[in-house]
Every structure is written in C-alpha cells, then in structure tokens.
C-alpha cells in the first residue's frame, strides 16, 4: 500500500454535502469508516428521519421518556449545558419555531406575532428531562420538539475525526455542510486555508483563515433566507427570546475552536447574541477565536487570529481584546 495515499471524496450525508481529504496509508479505509459513521449519526440525530432518536423523543413529547443511544444522550446533555451558558441565545428546543418559519418561508409569508408567541411558549430547554441511569430523555410538554441544527453537524464532525484517527491518519480536512474540521496540518506542514463567505456577494469570499488541527464554523444570515415584502431578511437562525430571526447587528459569525461542536454552537449563539454579549459568551470557553461581521460589513476579529486571517477587500478590521 502507498505510504501517502490521499483520498478525496464528496457525498451527501447528514442532510448536506460532505467533502473531505484524508492523507495516510489507510486513507481509503478511513474514509469508508467516516461515511459509515456519518450515516449512523444521521440515523440517530436527524429530526427528519422517522425513527431516529430525536424523532422518537419529539413524538413522545408530553407523553413518555424515550431511551436513546449514548451519543444522543451525550449531545443533549451537552446542549442543555450550552443553553445555560448562552444567555438565552441557544436552545435545542427551537423545533416548533423552525417548523413554523419554514412553513411560512415556503409561502414567502411571515407569521403573525400572535402565532409566533404561541410557538415561542413551547421553546424552553429547561423542559428537557434527562434520566442518566436509563439514557432516557423526555420533553415535558406536547408540541415541543428538539432540533439539533446548530450543534449536530459539529458534533458529528468531532466524532468522525475520532473514527478516522483510528486509521493512523495525521492529516485530514472535512467540510460537513460548512462545518470545517481538520486533523493536523497539510502533509507538507502548511496550514489549511478556509474561505470565509462574503455575506452579501453570492459565492464570493471575504477572506481566508488558516488553521492547523482546528475547526472553523460559520453562521450567517445568507443561508436559507428570503426577503419579504417589507424588505426584511428572514433567515434560519432564530432568537429564542423573541421568536423572530435574530437581528443582533451581526450578519456572519465564524468561530475557530478545537472542537467542531463547540464552534458550531458558539457560532449560532454569538450570531443571536450580537457583538458585546457574544464576546461575554465566548469568554466562558477557552481557546476560542472569532471573526464577526456586522451590518456595515465591518469585521471584528479576536487577537489570536491576527496572524492567520486575511481579507480580500479593503475593509475595516477591528481587533478585539
Ligand atoms: P447554524 O447554521 O449552525 O447557525 O445553525 C442554524 C440551525 O440551527 C437552524 O437551521 C436551526 O435548525 C437551528 N437553530 C436556529 N436558531 C437556533 C437557536 N437560537 N438555538 C439553537 N438552534 C437554533
Ligand atoms: Mg451552529
């Protein structure tokens, strides 16, 4: 077998596109295992697959506990901890509001405040009951539902990297629907370059961040959005306090972290929180770096990225302490 096999692949998984590059003698086997892991995780965590752990918990809301796999239990217990730390900006019980908004979005309409408030009442992570002895989970009220959209892909990326490390892989790049996760550096020792999308130019890049052995995750208002008759942009990241798409002044938030799950959660939470409150949230975790872009396309970066972030346009970049 070739000592430095490189396997690149692109396929659909976890409801998105997964592309990867894996280097090593067992790259081929590692990629096959990664695909299997992605399928297994989607089968447990997707709320769109009828008998997944998450779907069963959602169907049994207000009725009974559901026993789930270890990894499902773990991600939910972790999600609750994040919710406690994110000052009302992150909540995995966001399901009912996601359903409501996607129903209206498909019709290019906006739900009334009365309907939004009715659904908003169902959003509360404190209603997730966790029974550690039985690996069982219960949502207290009928109509409540879990949605792992802001944590699942990151969690999956972390678990997939663990799987491929078992194949002695020391250099790999995964992109799971925008969640980038890496092992080590490129085989030649250089850093991986990750493009940061321009939030207002379709398919354009605003800059690039270069990383080694880190994950990069971006939340932006340019994904799954529509502009309504009132000129407002209705996108897919919802403020769990108001029930409306977040309008914090930030339009793109990129988090660089060791764990892709942490980066995934924090990108969403900081997007909802806005610049100041977002920095308070980030400070609760160690080793987190961020790139935040506001309504005026002004860029804010944390100190640790000074050497590793470059912008393509003449744009003001503000360094944060
Ligand atoms: P991301 O693209 O990582 O920011 O995640 C957005 C996805 O997470 C949405 O499509 C929803 O599935 C879910 N979501 C939206 N708003 C929130 C929120 N405030 N807390 C937790 N999950 C959310
Ligand atoms: Mg996220």
């Amino acid at each position: 077998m070739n000592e430095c096999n490189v396997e690149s692949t692109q396929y659909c998984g976890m409801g998105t596109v997964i592309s990867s590059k894996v280097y090593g003698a067992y790259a081929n086997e590692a990629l096959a295992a990664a695909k299997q892991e992605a399928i297994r995780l989607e089968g447990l965590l997707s709320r769109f697959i009828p008998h997944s752990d998450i779907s069963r918990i959602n169907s049994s809301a207000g009725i009974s506990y559901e026993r789930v796999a270890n990894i499902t239990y773990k991600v939910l217990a972790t999600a609750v901890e994040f919710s406690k730390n994110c000052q009302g900006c992150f909540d995995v019980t966001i399901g009912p509001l996601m359903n409501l908004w996607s129903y209206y979005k498909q019709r290019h309409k906006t739900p009334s405040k009365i309907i939004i408030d009715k659904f908003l009442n169902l959003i509360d992570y404190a209603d997730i009951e966790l029974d550690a002895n039985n690996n069982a989970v219960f949502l207290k009220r009928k109509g409540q539902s879990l949605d792992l959209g802001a944590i699942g892909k990151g969690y999956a990326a972390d678990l997939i990297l663990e799987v491929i490390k078992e194949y002695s892989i020391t250099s790999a790049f995964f992109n799971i629907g925008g969640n980038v996760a890496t092992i080590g550096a490129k085989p030649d020792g250089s850093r991986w370059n990750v493009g940061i999308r321009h939030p207002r130019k379709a398919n354009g890049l605003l800059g690039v961040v270069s990383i080694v052995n880190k994950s990069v995750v971006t939340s932006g208002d340019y994904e799954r959005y529509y502009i309504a008759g009132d000129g407002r942009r209705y996108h897919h990241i919802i403020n769990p306090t108001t029930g409306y798409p977040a309008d914090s002044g930030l339009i793109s938030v990129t988090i660089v972290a060791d764990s892709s799950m942490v980066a995934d959660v924090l990108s969403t939470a900081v997007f909802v929180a806005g610049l100041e409150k977002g920095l308070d949230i980030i400070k609760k975790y160690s080793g987190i770096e961020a790139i935040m872009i506001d309504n005026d396309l002004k860029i804010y970066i944390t100190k640790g990225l000074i050497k590793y972030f470059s912008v393509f346009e003449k744009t003001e970049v503000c360094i944060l302490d």
Side-chain angles (χ1 to χ4, degrees), residues 251-277:
I251 60 173
S252 167
V253 174
T254 299
I255 301 287
V256 181
D258 290 333
S259 152
S260 197
M261 176 180 71
V262 173
D264 197 1
V265 171
L266 293 184
S267 67
T268 309
V270 173
F271 184 98
V272 174
L275 189 58
E276 248 170 69
K277 197 167 152 191

Side-chain angles (χ1 to χ4, degrees), residues 157 172 246 296:
D296 300 322

Side-chain angles (χ1 to χ4, degrees), residues 16-318:
T16 185
V17 177
I18 303 181
S19 53
S20 53
K21 250 186 183 161
V22 176
Y23 300 84
Y26 301 102
N28 198 4
E29 292 83 347
L31 262 188
K35 269 190 197 175
Q36 279 311 111
E37 183 68 352
I39 293 168
R40 180 177 85 100
L41 295 172
E42 187 179 11
L44 294 171
L45 304 179
S46 169
R47 71 189 177 104
F48 302 111
I49 293 181
H51 298 290
S52 71
D53 281 354
I54 298 302
S55 293
R56 286 189 296 108
I57 296 168
N58 290 347
S59 313
S60 298
I63 304 169
S64 62
Y65 275 85
E66 287 288 330
R67 275 176 185 268
V68 295
N70 261 330
I71 62 150
T72 310
Y73 188 88
K74 229 168 115 188
V75 72
L76 290 176
T78 311
V80 169
E81 285 311 306
F82 275 120
S83 300
K84 287 180 188 161
N85 283 334
C86 287
Q87 306 175 19
C89 296
F90 174 82
D91 195 320
V92 274
T93 64
I94 202 82
L97 277 173
M98 295 316 298
N99 292 338
L100 177 73
W101 278 102
S102 77
Y103 177 87
Y104 275 83
K105 234 183 252 180
Q106 277 160 21
R107 288 155 186 80
H108 277 230
K109 287 192 168 149
T110 310
S112 70
K113 183 158 182 347
I114 294 170
I115 299 180
I116 290 174
D117 285 346
K118 206 174 121 202
F119 281 72
L120 188 57
N121 173 49
L122 290 166
I123 317 302
D124 190 353
Y125 66 88
D127 287 338
I128 304 174
E129 295 276 321
L130 295 163
D131 172 0
N133 293 327
N134 296 300
N135 258 10
V137 184
F138 173 49
L139 283 173
K140 280 191 192 160
R141 290 183 283 147
K142 263 207 148 97
Q144 289 189 308
S145 63
L146 301 170
D147 174 338
L148 268 55
I151 185 170
K153 288 200 294 263
Y155 185 52
D158 287 339
L159 294 176
I160 286 170
L161 291 194
E162 285 313 307
V163 165
I164 69 165
K165 279 179 189 163
E166 287 169 22
Y167 293 82
S168 312
I169 302 295
T170 51
S171 174
F173 179 99
F174 272 78
N175 184 343
I176 305 183
N179 279 55
V180 168
T182 61
I183 297 178
K186 287 187 200 168
D188 65 2
S190 62
R191 304 173 79 89
W192 304 101
N193 291 319
V194 182
I196 305 300
R197 286 252 317 255
H198 192 298
R200 293 295 176 261
K201 283 187 189 161
N203 303 319
L205 291 183
L206 185 95
V208 64
V209 60
S210 58
I211 53 161
V212 171
N213 209 29
K214 297 268 180 196
S215 178
V216 178
V217 181
T218 300
S219 290
D221 71 356
Y222 47 83
E223 307 253 26
R224 283 179 277 154
Y225 71 93
Y226 73 96
I227 309 276
D230 60 5
R232 274 188 66 176
R233 177 183 289 255
Y234 292 92
H235 57 82
H236 71 299
I237 303 172
I238 304 297
N239 182 335
T241 309
T242 64
Y244 283 84
D247 187 14
S248 68
L250 295 179
I251 60 173
S252 167
V253 174
T254 299
I255 301 287
V256 181
D258 290 333
S259 152
S260 197
M261 176 180 71
V262 173
D264 197 1
V265 171
L266 293 184
S267 67
T268 309
V270 173
F271 184 98
V272 174
L275 189 58
E276 248 170 69
K277 197 167 152 191
L279 283 173
D280 286 345
I281 295 172
I282 289 173
K283 281 182 186 145
K284 293 185 181 174
Y285 298 87
S286 60
I288 307 293
E289 302 292 343
I291 302 161
M292 294 168 275
I293 305 171
D294 74 9
N295 278 324
D296 300 322
L297 293 176
K298 187 168 169 186
I299 305 173
Y300 301 83
I301 65 168
T302 51
K303 259 206 216 133
L305 291 180
I306 295 177
K307 271 168 66 186
Y308 303 116
F309 175 67
S310 36
V311 247
F312 296 146
E313 294 184 7
K314 266 200 157 198
T315 316
E316 194 180 346
V317 180
C318 177

